[in-house]
Amino acid sequence: MTATNDRTGQPWLALRTQRGEAVTAGGFTVTPLSRSLLLRLPGGAYLWHRPTAVLVVRDGRTTRLPIHDTTRLAQCAIVGASLLLAGAIPILTSKIEERAS
Amino acid sequence: MSSTPDEGRASDPLTPSLDQPAGSTGAMLERIFVAARPGAAFSTPVISGAYTVITASEVGAGGGFGAGRGSSPQCADHTPEQDAPANEGGGSGGGGGANTRPIAAIVIGPDGVTIRPIVDFTKIALAGITAWAAMLATFLRLRAKGR
């Protein structure tokens, strides 16, 4: 996906899936896949590039192994749980107060 | 005729020469965009015995710049015929940074290819502590309101 700047003709937003150089070892051919997000603004630029999967070829059979960012998943789970709890605390507190009164 | 690694690097239009200073903003941005290449996210394979290991990393890079120019109000209508010197000023600045975090190791061995996650426990612990502190603050504020 690419969005181009009309004035300069350069993409200001580009989301690409790329293939890295294939590595052959032990009868396996491993091709890494990654995804990059490029944001080009008039005063600067930002780039985020992360690996997504590897393609493993052996005896003509191709298998796709996804790469999960465990640290990011755990962080999202903690933030999500805390947001849920932060939303639930006022409701629980008001219910407890109602019962007490 | 043999070719050196430097010759190969110079022929690659995406790879900036390390000897060339980033004189312009464009050159600086191009250096950031080098991180968009697939090689930036995957390390070169490391071979140890029957195992080959490739590290997969998340790369984040950014940079920005700004410039400004201005003159004092009394000199805004200054004409060249006038002898008074123009009271003008200008400046520019910029900055940037990059961050790489390993997220997994791709291990190619006799048993096959496995993806082993690399967990940053410090980051998870910091997220947990921050979330717990925020929840505690919310709870204490509600408790204080109730009184």
Side-chain angles (χ1 to χ4, degrees), chain A:
Chain A
M1 189 191 85
T2 309
T4 312
N5 186 331
D6 293 338
R7 195 168 53 84
T8 60
Q10 286 184 322
W12 64 271
L13 180 72
L15 184 64
R16 293 192 188 108
T17 301
Q18 298 169 310
R19 274 172 184 252
E21 234 174 86
V23 176
T24 305
F28 297 96
T29 302
V30 177
T31 309
L33 301 176
S34 62
R35 188 170 289 170
S36 68
L37 171 76
L38 177 64
L39 183 66
R40 199 193 292 250
L41 298 167
Y46 178 72
L47 172 82
W48 186 45
H49 191 182
R50 67 180 189 91
T52 51
V54 286
L55 292 177
V56 182
V57 182
R58 190 182 195 186
D59 302 328
R61 271 182 54 193
T62 305
T63 317
R64 189 179 190 275
L65 298 176
I67 298 173
H68 298 295
D69 189 348
T70 313
T71 307
R72 181 64 47 81
L73 284 172
Q75 281 179 314
C76 289
I78 288 167
V79 170
S82 65
L83 283 173
L84 278 174
L85 277 173
I89 283 172
I91 299 165
L92 287 172
T93 315
S94 63
K95 281 196 174 177
I96 290 165
E97 281 172 358
E98 272 175 25
R99 276 187 192 176
S101 63

Side-chain angles (χ1 to χ4, degrees), chain B residues 63-94:
Chain B
F65 69 95
R69 195 182 157 190
S71 58
S72 62
Q74 63 267 29
C75 292
D77 54 353
H78 174 77
T79 58
E81 290 80 26
Q82 291 175 322
D83 290 335
N87 191 9
E88 288 187 342
S92 63

